[in-house]
């Protein structure tokens, strides 16, 4: 019998790719969202009866218990960049891990982030670190996956830069020297699916997932501009000015919050010696190999402009 894999956050940016990777490996997939209707677009990716949908809220234990009933494997992808991170990253993660254990699931994959640190003063990093500890305590054989910045056609990272570049003759860059190791969403999904379906091999281990290139923020934004054929003026902002802008992050429409700016002060790259893609049998994809295919919509004349230039 094919295994039932329950995916919390299965209708999100990463979740849709994780669901597809699991469906391609003939797993049955139960997608858990607060509003399952938002994830119905995943259904055609699988065969008849291969995909299920259920409503649950990580902060409400009874709904989590109901969602994991009968699961062979549980995956938790849910995370926040703003809001009540303690409730989701720590308490919610604990709820999922305890429920998975109680339901008799054979494997649990918990998606955290590079830089997770229970001792950090930054709420995102601290709660991610505390969440990992809570998961390990509740489900000792859990697999923890820590991606760097994830990019893909539906992301809110590269697309945000492209939209900003498209709209402005001058582009400000905060923390231009901070290093990232951007990782393709489909590669992360394959790695998660591999770990989830082979808990005997990968259970209890932590994997840091980064792409094949380390890029500074300045390089990343300039490369995005090149991929959409734009030549704006780049303004690398000093920390004093960036911090001032971030201090107004509580206002509607602010480009970045103060905590997000503090996160930008730390490199987001794989820790030397950490296990990663090679152990999971995945070859990471460079940004330039896939991003131009969807970034073409940000070109001044779209795909036609790109073709004329190429010709």
């Amino acid at each position: 019998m094919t295994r039932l894999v329950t995916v919390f956050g299965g209708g999100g940016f990463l979740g849709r790719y994780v669901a597809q990777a699991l469906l391609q490996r003939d797993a049955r997939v139960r997608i858990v969202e607060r509003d399952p209707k938002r994830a119905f677009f995943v259904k055609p990716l699988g065969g008849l009866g291969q995909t299920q949908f259920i409503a649950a809220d990580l902060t409400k234990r009874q709904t989590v218990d109901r969602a994991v009933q009968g699961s062979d494997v549980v995956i938790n992808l849910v995370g926040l960049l703003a809001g009540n991170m303690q409730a989701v990253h720590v308490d919610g993660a604990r709820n999922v891990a305890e429920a998975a254990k109680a339901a008799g699931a054979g494997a649990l994959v918990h998606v955290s982030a590079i830089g997770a640190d229970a001792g950090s003063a930054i709420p995102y990093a601290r709660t991610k670190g505390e969440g990992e500890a809570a998961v390990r305590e509740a489900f000792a054989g859990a697999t923890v996956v820590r991606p760097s910045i994830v990019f893909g056609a539906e992301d809110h990272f590269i697309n945000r830069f492209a939209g900003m570049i498209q709209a402005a003759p001058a582009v400000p860059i905060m923390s231009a020297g901070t290093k990232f190791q951007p990782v393709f969403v489909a590669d992360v999904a394959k790695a998660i699916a591999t770990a989830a379906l082979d808990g005997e091999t990968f259970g209890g281990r932590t994997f840091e997932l980064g792409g094949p290139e380390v890029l500074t923020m300045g390089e990343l934004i300039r490369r995005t501009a090149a991929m959409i054929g734009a030549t704006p003026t780049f303004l690398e902002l000093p920390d004093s000015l960036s911090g001032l802008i971030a201090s107004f992050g509580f206002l509607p429409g602010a480009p970045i919050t103060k905590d997000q700016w503090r996160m930008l002060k730390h490199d987001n790259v794989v820790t030397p010696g950490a296990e990663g893609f090679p152990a999971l049998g995945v070859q990471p994809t460079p940004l330039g190999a896939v991003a131009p295919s969807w970034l073409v919509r940000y070109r001044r004349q779209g795909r036609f402009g790109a073709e004329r230039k190429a010709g």
Side-chain angles (χ1 to χ4, degrees):
M1 178 180 290
T2 56
R3 281 171 287 181
L4 174 61
V5 184
T6 296
V7 185
F8 287 83
F13 166 48
L14 174 57
R16 68 188 67 196
Y17 288 88
V18 171
Q20 186 169 5
L22 292 167
L23 291 168
Q24 289 173 344
R25 301 182 194 200
D26 296 321
R28 290 179 297 140
V29 178
R30 177 185 291 160
I31 293 177
V32 186
E33 290 281 349
R34 289 202 297 177
D35 181 2
K37 294 192 295 295
R38 297 177 57 185
F40 283 176
F41 66 88
V42 175
K43 191 170 184 177
L45 301 177
L48 183 63
Q50 196 179 2
T51 311
Q52 306 173 14
F53 302 86
I54 189 168
D57 182 336
L58 262 64
T59 65
K60 298 177 181 177
R61 176 61 188 270
Q62 287 184 332
T63 70
V64 175
D65 288 340
R66 183 176 64 249
V68 301
Q69 287 179 1
S71 301
D72 298 298
V73 180
V74 176
I75 300 173
N76 181 17
L77 306 175
V78 182
L80 300 174
L81 287 174
N84 193 342
M85 296 181 189
Q86 180 73 28
V88 173
H89 293 168
V90 185
D91 302 333
R94 181 186 296 110
N95 284 341
V96 172
E98 289 179 349
K101 188 70 174 179
L108 168 66
V109 177
H110 174 73
V111 177
S112 183
I114 286 179
D117 178 5
S120 175
I122 302 172
Y124 179 84
R126 175 181 55 77
T127 55
K128 281 291 189 180
E130 291 178 351
E132 288 185 12
V135 168
R136 292 280 194 216
E137 183 178 357
F139 198 115
T143 303
V144 174
V145 176
R146 298 173 174 171
S148 184
I149 298 297
V150 181
F151 68 85
E154 306 87 359
D155 72 40
H156 295 289
F157 186 63
I158 299 297
N159 281 300
R160 185 176 184 181
F161 291 152
M164 179 175 64
I165 293 166
Q166 179 192 49
V171 177
I173 305 177
M174 295 182 176
S175 300
T178 300
K179 296 176 182 177
F180 297 89
Q181 202 165 344
V183 59
F184 185 39
V185 62
D187 296 336
V188 177
K190 290 176 186 176
I192 291 171
T194 296
L197 296 176
D198 190 358
E200 194 169 315
T201 299
F202 301 109
R205 295 159 68 177
T206 297
F207 298 91
E208 295 197 358
L209 306 182
E213 302 172 286
V214 174
L215 302 171
T216 65
M217 177 65 83
E219 290 169 339
L220 190 56
I221 291 178
R222 288 180 171 87
R223 185 171 296 188
T224 301
M227 285 189 287
I228 67 172
T231 56
T233 299
F234 297 102
L235 306 172
E236 296 191 2
L237 304 182
D239 285 347
S240 56
L241 182 54
S242 296
L244 180 62
I245 293 171
S247 68
F248 293 98
F250 61 90
L251 296 175
I256 191 171
T257 67
K258 189 171 183 179
D259 283 336
Q260 288 170 343
W261 177 73
R262 291 167 70 193
M263 288 165 55
L264 281 178
K265 299 300 296 174
H266 298 271
D267 292 340
N268 194 280
V269 298
V270 171
T271 304
E275 287 198 286
F277 279 127
L280 293 160
V282 177
Q283 180 67 40
T285 306
L287 176 67
V290 289
S293 65
W294 75 78
L295 289 178
V296 68
R297 66 179 180 267
Y298 294 100
R299 285 180 170 269
R300 179 164 297 182
Q301 294 175 314
R303 191 173 303 278
F304 297 102
E307 289 174 353
R308 180 162 59 244
K309 184 175 180 180

